[in-house]
Each structure stands twice: as structure tokens, then as C-alpha cells.
Amino acid sequence: MICPVWLCFDWSMGCIPLIYLNAFPKDPRLFIVFGFWTILVFIFYKILFSKNYDIKQMQMGFLLGLLSFLPASNLMFTVGFVIAERVLYLPSAGFIIIVVLGIRRLCLNYFFKRVVRMCILLLIVVHSIRTYQRSKEWNTELDLFRSALKVCPMNAKVHYNLAKSLADIGHIQEAIDRYKHALLLHPKYDQAMNNLANILKDKNELEEARFLLEKAVTIRNDFAAAWMNLGIVLSAQHEYNKAEDAYLTALQHRKSYPHCYFNLGNLYLEMGEKTKALFAWQNATFQQPTHVISWNNMIVLLESIGELKRAENVARTALTILPNEPNLHFNIANILGKIDKFVEAEKHFLAAIKLKHRTSKTVLVALYHSNLGVLYHRWEKYDLAEMHYLQALMIDPNMQKVKNHLALLRKHLGEINQPTLNMKSSQQEKDF
């Protein structure tokens, strides 16, 4: 508190190398430890047996600081870092009492009183500047984690958190390097293995990703996220039975895991087990009703196997939970269009287009216009069909199917208009 120079958001995982008694006298820090405890015992003895009133006050501050520090010291029992840092505020009360008593003692002398006053003012100014500097380091996660590297370069958790932030902003290679450095410092860091494997999986480096995930679940057998990610990698390698085992193991360790059920459903779909796929996605939506991808997958699968009525019911149920989800409106519109419910299908297509700001994929918005164009084409509302075909092509000029539909529409309109032109020409000849 007197000199807050080395500040770090986390002091675990090798931030400070451990002191071992068997390293004496090679580790000079042991002399500091022995010296500290010797002085502490001497001070404790003087305070405990003194009759002086000021010393009695110091005794209260000393005991408050010492006794409240014991739970965080790991001397009596092991506590986690999160609990320890919560109770570390209590010893500061004792520390403040001792500092105030010391300042009061110094201020008994007029000269020292002026010096102490200047020192306190200087301390306030320095701490204010340091507080401002530190608050700037807390502006973003990236700034905070980079500042921690200057203080604790041997802390694996700092490298891990920095890697996560770098991955989030797209600095993939730097994130990989940080994860590998974290594993170099802490070879059994299973969470770093899992996150690094995810990045490598996305880069299609499946063998290395698989190695890391298998190692992670060996270190911590109940690591559900690693089991699920291992299932994804095994599925990508077409080892479907092993992938299924990995997913089911993840679900054993975490009963409520909608993302795992979603991925399990995708696996069953690849294996041709459509009933199992539907059941898995149904479990995902049961555990997390807002799991929109599972709803969409169920609707699309039921539509593809001709279960249009069932697909419509699922879509309507999903829309009661997620009324502002454009893809759900789009999927039910496709189904309603197939069963010739043009008016209701139009309503849902227009709702999907209205909610297009909720999707980040422009190709989906183009598809909304394209399929609405097909609906109008079948409904013989040709002007509207042409308008939406053109809007789809404005968004994505490479949609060949839309170009084909537009060409057929214009050809059809040409055939309709041609007899009308012939009739007008014939009438003019008669009049002449």
C-alpha cells in the first residue's frame, strides 16, 4: 500500500516463484523470510507484554492485521485465490491503525511534524498519479493483460487471458503463441489446451487439436467442454463412433449442455440417424429454449423429409419463444409457401426482411428476397417477383439460381405480352 508499483490483476500460477525450505541457503529469499518472522515475533512480544497505552493501541492494530490475515495465508488451511483476495482487505484496517499511530508519534516533534505533513501530501499526489495510470490500464482487457505481463511474465494465467483477448479481436497467430507460452510455463493447463485446440480446429489442424484435447481430458477427466470439442474434431475426421462417445461423455459430466446436444444432433445427421438428430436438437431447445440454431435445424430437417405439418408446428412453437428471429420467419415462410398458404407465407417473408438487421450474413438477406420472389412468381404477382429477384441480385450478384428465375420470369412475361401486341397490330390493319 505504501509503494503500489508492481500491480497485477492476478498473482497466481507462478507469478512469484515458491520458496522451498530445502533450498536453503541457495535461495536468498529465505533470509528475508527468517528475518521477517524474527522481527515479527520480537514486535509481538513487546506489544503483548507492554503496559504503555500507545503500545496497547498498537496491539489492537497489530492483532487486527495479523488475525484477519491468517485465513488468506494458507498456513492453517488452503484457500482459493478468489476467497483470499476478498479477505485481504481486512488486514489493511490493522495496517492503517499502526501507520496512523506511527505518524502521531512522529508529529510530537515540531520539525518532524512538518516533514511528515509534506511526506503525506507527496504520498497523496504520487498515489493519485499512480491511480490515474492504473485506471488507464483497466480501460480494455487487452491493456490490462499486457500491463500484467510487465509485472508477472512467469504467470501462465496472464498469457492465457491475453491469448483469449487476442483471439477475440482476430489476432490468431499471436493468440496461438500466447497459449503455447502459457503451456510452456504450466504444462498441465487444461483450459489453455482446450482453447488452443479450438483455434487449431478452426485452422483445420485437426491432428494437433486432437492431441491437445485428448491430453486435456486425461489431465481432467470431467472437463465437459474439452470432451465436446474432442467430439467436434473426431467428427471432422469422420471417426463418428468415437465422436459420439466423446459427446456422451461430455453430457455425463454436464447434464445441462445444450451446445453439446446441438453438436451431437449434427453428428447424427452426418451419420444418417435423422430421428436421433431430431431428439438431440429437441433436448438442446428443452434445456435452452432460445437455442435458435437447434430450432432451425429441426425445422429444415423435417421439411427435407416431407414432414411439412410437423415442421410448421415446430416453427410456430419456436416463434412464440423467439418472435424476432428472422431465420425462423424465413423457414416457416418456405414451409407455408410449399403448402400454398401464400398470404401467411408472404407475411413471414416480409417479417424476415424487416428483421434483417439481426443477421450478420448478407447472403441470408439475399435469400430472403430470392425466396419471396419465388413465392410471388408462383402466386403470379410477377412485378413483385421481379422486384425481389433484382433486390436479391443487388445484395449478392453471384446467385445463379436467382438469375435463372429472373430469366424465366422475363421470358414468361414476354410470351404473355406477345399475343397482346399481335392483337393490337391486327386491329390497326383493319382500321386502316
Side-chain angles (χ1 to χ4, degrees), residues 133-175:
Q133 290 176 338
R134 186 60 176 162
S135 64
K136 289 190 72 174
E137 291 173 352
W138 278 82
N139 278 341
T140 66
E141 282 189 343
L142 208 58
D143 291 337
L144 178 64
F145 299 148
R146 288 194 190 280
S147 71
L149 274 185
K150 300 172 186 176
V151 180
C152 292
M154 301 301 289
N155 188 334
K157 193 173 180 180
V158 170
H159 291 276
Y160 168 82
N161 285 325
L162 181 57
K164 281 177 65 179
S165 292
L166 289 166
D168 288 341
I169 61 174
H171 294 187
I172 302 301
Q173 189 53 52
E174 194 177 352

Side-chain angles (χ1 to χ4, degrees), residues 246-292:
Y247 287 136
L248 294 175
T249 304
L251 291 169
Q252 283 178 0
H253 294 301
R254 191 190 297 180
K255 302 297 181 185
S256 180
Y257 205 175
H259 296 307
C260 190
Y261 274 115
F262 167 73
N263 287 314
L264 181 60
N266 292 343
L267 172 68
Y268 284 139
L269 185 63
E270 285 189 61
M271 295 169 70
E273 303 267 4
K274 294 180 180 179
T275 304
K276 286 185 176 181
L278 283 169
F279 182 72
W281 291 328
Q282 192 174 18
N283 278 332
T285 57
F286 178 76
Q287 291 184 351
Q288 185 183 332
T290 56
H291 204 281
V292 65

Side-chain angles (χ1 to χ4, degrees), residues 36 42 62-63 79 108 117 140 143 155-156 174 177 189 194-195 209-210 251 257 264-265 270 288 312 346 358 419 432:
F36 170 78
F42 176 74
F62 187 80
L63 289 173
V79 293
L108 293 175
R117 186 179 296 170
T140 66
D143 291 337
N155 188 334
E174 194 177 352
D177 294 339
Y189 201 167
N194 178 60
N195 288 13
R210 179 176 176 175
L251 291 169
Y257 205 175
L264 181 60
E270 285 189 61
Q288 185 183 332
E312 181 186 352
E346 178 191 30
R358 296 177 65 88
F432 180 74

Side-chain angles (χ1 to χ4, degrees), residues 2 122 277 354:
I2 291 295
L122 180 62
K354 187 178 178 181

Side-chain angles (χ1 to χ4, degrees), residues 6-295:
W6 299 283
L7 297 177
C8 182
F9 73 93
D10 185 275
W11 289 90
S12 63
M13 294 191 117
C15 213
I16 300 174
L18 295 176
I19 298 174
Y20 297 97
L21 283 174
N22 58 9
F24 186 81
K26 294 180 181 178
D27 192 341
R29 293 178 300 167
L30 282 166
F31 292 103
I32 300 172
V33 172
F34 291 139
F36 170 78
W37 282 106
T38 302
I39 294 169
L40 196 66
V41 168
F42 176 74
I43 292 171
F44 185 73
Y45 174 81
K46 293 287 288 183
I47 290 174
L48 196 62
F49 296 101
S50 175
K51 303 294 183 181
N52 186 288
Y53 176 72
D54 287 341
I55 299 297
K56 288 289 184 182
Q57 288 181 314
M58 194 175 292
Q59 180 182 359
M60 184 178 70
F62 187 80
L63 289 173
L64 181 61
L66 180 65
L67 295 176
S68 60
F69 177 74
L70 285 176
S73 67
N74 282 339
L75 291 174
M76 298 184 295
F77 47 83
T78 303
V79 293
F81 183 79
V82 174
I83 296 173
E85 68 179 1
R86 298 297 184 272
V87 299
L88 280 175
Y89 289 101
L90 296 173
S92 63
F95 177 78
I96 290 167
I97 291 172
I98 294 170
V99 170
V100 169
L101 289 171
I103 290 172
R104 191 175 71 174
R105 175 64 67 86
L106 288 172
C107 288
L108 293 175
N109 181 291
Y110 179 74
F111 174 74
F112 281 123
K113 185 177 181 179
R114 296 187 65 182
V115 173
V116 167
R117 186 179 296 170
M118 293 298 296
C119 288
I120 290 173
L121 287 173
L122 180 62
L123 190 66
I124 291 171
V125 171
V126 170
H127 277 210
S128 299
I129 294 169
R130 182 65 182 122
T131 301
Y132 175 75
Q133 290 176 338
R134 186 60 176 162
S135 64
K136 289 190 72 174
E137 291 173 352
W138 278 82
N139 278 341
T140 66
E141 282 189 343
L142 208 58
D143 291 337
L144 178 64
F145 299 148
R146 288 194 190 280
S147 71
L149 274 185
K150 300 172 186 176
V151 180
C152 292
M154 301 301 289
N155 188 334
K157 193 173 180 180
V158 170
H159 291 276
Y160 168 82
N161 285 325
L162 181 57
K164 281 177 65 179
S165 292
L166 289 166
D168 288 341
I169 61 174
H171 294 187
I172 302 301
Q173 189 53 52
E174 194 177 352
I176 290 173
D177 294 339
R178 290 297 173 190
Y179 277 130
K180 287 183 176 179
H181 198 87
L183 289 170
L184 190 67
L185 294 170
H186 187 42
K188 292 187 177 182
Y189 201 167
D190 50 5
Q191 289 177 318
M193 292 175 191
N194 178 60
N195 288 13
L196 177 56
N198 277 339
I199 294 176
L200 295 172
K201 167 178 64 71
D202 293 339
K203 293 182 70 179
N204 206 35
E205 297 179 23
L206 299 178
E207 282 300 326
E208 190 174 354
R210 179 176 176 175
F211 171 77
L212 287 166
L213 290 167
E214 286 176 342
K215 190 174 179 182
V217 296
T218 302
I219 293 167
R220 180 153 61 101
N221 187 254
D222 62 347
F223 194 177
W227 279 112
M228 184 191 74
N229 290 326
L230 179 58
I232 295 171
V233 170
L234 291 168
S235 178
Q237 293 181 320
H238 305 292
E239 296 191 33
Y240 297 133
N241 291 329
K242 289 183 179 180
E244 183 183 14
D245 290 339
Y247 287 136
L248 294 175
T249 304
L251 291 169
Q252 283 178 0
H253 294 301
R254 191 190 297 180
K255 302 297 181 185
S256 180
Y257 205 175
H259 296 307
C260 190
Y261 274 115
F262 167 73
N263 287 314
L264 181 60
N266 292 343
L267 172 68
Y268 284 139
L269 185 63
E270 285 189 61
M271 295 169 70
E273 303 267 4
K274 294 180 180 179
T275 304
K276 286 185 176 181
L278 283 169
F279 182 72
W281 291 328
Q282 192 174 18
N283 278 332
T285 57
F286 178 76
Q287 291 184 351
Q288 185 183 332
T290 56
H291 204 281
V292 65
I293 311 175
S294 293
W295 284 115

Side-chain angles (χ1 to χ4, degrees), residues 295-330:
W295 284 115
N296 281 323
N297 281 13
M298 279 194 286
I299 296 163
V300 171
L301 178 55
L302 288 167
E303 182 187 358
S304 69
I305 62 177
E307 294 270 1
L308 296 182
K309 188 62 183 175
R310 193 176 164 194
E312 181 186 352
N313 291 336
V314 171
R316 290 189 190 280
T317 303
L319 280 171
T320 61
I321 300 165
L322 296 159
N324 296 319
E325 183 54 47
N327 280 348
L328 291 175
H329 285 284
F330 174 68

